Amino acid sequence: QVQVMESGGGLVQAGGSLRLSCTTSGLTNVVAMGWFRQAPGREREGVSCISRTGTLTSYSDTLKGRFTITRDNANNIMYLQMNSLKPEDTAMYYCAARRVSVFCPTSWSSGDFVYWGQGTQVTVSS
C-alpha cells in the first residue's frame, strides 16, 4: 500500500518562507512527483513537478522564481521551498506521485498523479 505524507505547513507572515516536505512508502520504484495546492472555493492547481532523478523540474508560471522543488532519493523525501510568500499562496498543499513514470508530462495536471497525501495547510497572513 502506497502512502504519501506531507509536513511543514503552518502560519507565516507575508514575505516569509516555508519548506514543505513529502515522504512516501510502498512505492516499488522511484517516480516523478509533484506538488499541488487548493484554496477554499478554488480548483486544485499544479505547483511544481520533479523527475525521478531531480534533474528536470517544472513550475506553474505564476510561481516560478519563488518556489523551488527538490528531492533526496537517498532519504526518500521531496521538498518544496517557498519564499516571498503572499496571502494568495494560502491553501492546502498536496504531494503526489505518479504510478510508474519517471518524468513529468509536458503539460502536467492532477490527473497524471495517482498517489496523494492528505495535505498540509499553509496560511500566509498579510
Side-chain angles (χ1 to χ4, degrees), residues 1-24:
Q1 182 179 359
V2 176
Q3 292 186 321
V4 179
M5 182 175 296
E6 308 93 338
S7 62
L11 174 64
V12 64
Q13 289 188 332
S17 298
L18 278 176
R19 188 177 75 165
L20 306 183
S21 301
C22 173
T23 58
T24 63

Side-chain angles (χ1 to χ4, degrees), residues 44-115:
R44 188 170 295 188
E45 65 172 330
V47 173
S48 185
C49 183
I50 189 167
S51 64
R52 179 187 65 179
T53 62
T55 55
L56 299 175
T57 58
S58 178
Y59 296 90
S60 166
D61 287 341
T62 60
L63 301 174
K64 196 172 184 178
R66 295 194 296 122
F67 290 13
T68 303
I69 190 171
T70 57
R71 66 189 302 169
D72 177 357
N73 290 336
N75 292 297
N76 192 31
I77 191 165
M78 180 179 69
Y79 300 103
L80 183 69
Q81 178 67 42
M82 304 185 296
N83 298 327
S84 302
L85 283 163
K86 305 174 182 180
E88 52 263 43
D89 294 319
T90 295
M92 186 72 77
Y93 283 71
Y94 297 91
C95 172
R98 301 199 73 188
R99 187 184 301 279
V100 294
S101 179
V102 300
F103 295 110
C104 299
T106 301
S107 179
W108 47 276
S109 65
S110 59
D112 296 309
F113 297 81
V114 297
Y115 304 112

